[in-house]
């Protein structure tokens, strides 16, 4: 069922780093983004793919992980992503990117799930450092990074409790819990 894929498509932040991702796989995932919706069909998104260890390490150094887990600085060596897709906006094609990159990243992550992979959309990026590391020309706006790998953690969805707290948290067994609001709390009108 499609809902099972959506349920499985969580934000994963710990991976079997030695499970390499091929360039072909990354290309197939970008192809899903290519086939997705785009405002005015401008298709302004461009991508940098990375799966080699040295560049992976450099990209990793520009990213911030799990802001709510204040005592966790991010995945340790050996549990880091084995690949990245950097999502760029080509300003020569469109100045207003709308929500294209969100749609593209979700297509990428849904496709990753189907392939037995997982990942995390990252918005907290040292963009100027990343631009230098990857020699990204100024005409491209750095929008997001999708980190990818073979997930090494369990993520469960919980209902948001009566206190309304939406912060994700980790339990003693390092299971990652993500509170989700109830359907009745997000539908504000029906007719
Ligand atoms: C646009 C966007 C940016 C995000 N940026 C980050 C980030 O910088 N670092 C991070 O660890 N997670 C990031 N996330 C992941 C969210 O924290 C995650 O989606 C949220 O905790 C819900 O978990 P779920 O994706 O498993 O439902 C981002 C998610 C989105 C949609």
């Amino acid at each position: 069922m499609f809902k099972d894929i959506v349920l499985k498509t969580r934000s994963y932040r710990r991976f079997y780093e030695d499970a390499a991702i091929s360039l072909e796989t990354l290309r197939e995932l970008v192809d899903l983004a290519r086939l997705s919706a785009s405002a005015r069909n401008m298709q302004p998104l461009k991508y940098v793919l990375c799966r080699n260890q040295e560049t992976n390490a450099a990209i990793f150094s520009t990213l911030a992980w799990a802001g709510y887990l204040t005592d966790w600085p991010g995945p340790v060596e050996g549990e880091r992503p084995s690949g990245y897709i950097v999502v760029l906006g080509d300003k020569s094609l469109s100045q207003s990117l709308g929500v294209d990159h969100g749609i593209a990243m979700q297509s990428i992550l849904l496709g990753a799930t189907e392939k037995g992979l997982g990942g995390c959309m990252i918005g907290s990026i040292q963009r100027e450092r990343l631009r230098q590391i990857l020699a990204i020309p100024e005409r491209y706006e750095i929008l997001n990074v999708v980190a990818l790998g073979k997930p090494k953690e369990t993520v469960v969805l919980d209902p948001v409790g009566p206190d309304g707290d939406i912060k994700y948290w980790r339990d003693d067994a390092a299971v990652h819990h993500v509170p989700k609001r109830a359907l009745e709390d997000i539908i504000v009108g029906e007719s």
Side-chain angles (χ1 to χ4, degrees):
M1 250 175 63
F2 181 66
K3 188 171 180 182
D4 294 326
I5 296 186
V6 172
L7 280 169
K8 226 172 148 186
T9 303
R10 303 270 52 88
S11 294
Y12 296 100
R13 299 182 179 86
R14 292 191 292 132
F15 305 92
Y16 294 97
E17 192 172 347
D18 51 6
I21 297 186
S22 69
L23 216 41
E24 186 54 30
T25 295
L26 294 177
R27 290 176 66 97
E28 284 169 10
L29 294 175
V30 169
D31 203 39
L32 299 176
R34 179 181 75 84
L35 297 168
S36 300
S38 169
R40 294 176 294 138
N41 202 29
M42 290 303 292
Q43 304 167 70
L45 302 182
K46 302 283 173 76
Y47 302 88
V48 177
L49 317 185
C50 178
R51 42 132 5 238
N52 87 60
Q53 275 183 355
E54 205 179 315
T55 317
N56 277 357
I59 295 173
F60 178 83
S61 76
T62 70
L63 307 177
W65 297 83
Y68 291 144
L69 305 181
T70 49
D71 56 353
W72 188 67
V76 295
E77 259 181 68
E79 295 190 346
R80 292 179 181 166
S82 7
Y84 294 94
I85 296 174
V86 182
V87 186
L88 307 173
D90 187 338
K91 291 185 278 188
S92 72
L93 290 174
S94 181
Q95 290 291 331
S96 56
L97 299 159
V99 297
D100 282 22
H101 42 303
I103 295 166
M105 290 193 291
Q106 185 68 357
S107 290
I108 288 169
L109 286 184
L110 289 168
T113 299
E114 195 207 27
K115 291 175 183 298
L117 300 171
C120 189
M121 304 177 196
I122 306 276
S124 185
I125 306 163
Q126 294 175 37
R127 286 181 169 74
E128 277 321 303
R129 277 196 58 227
L130 185 60
R131 185 180 293 285
Q132 282 166 16
I133 286 165
L134 297 175
I136 295 171
E138 283 297 329
R139 70 186 261 221
Y140 299 116
E141 183 180 341
I142 298 175
L143 297 168
N144 288 101
V145 172
V146 185
L148 291 157
K150 186 173 168 216
K152 197 187 175 181
E153 66 179 348
T154 305
V155 178
V156 297
L157 301 183
D158 301 327
V160 169
D163 62 0
D165 191 356
I166 46 66
K167 291 189 193 74
Y168 48 77
W169 57 283
R170 295 241 172 106
D171 66 22
D172 293 343
V175 171
H176 185 86
H177 292 257
V178 182
K180 291 290 184 190
R181 298 189 202 284
L183 193 58
E184 55 268 27
D185 292 338
I186 62 168
I187 296 176
V188 295
E190 277 180 339
S191 59

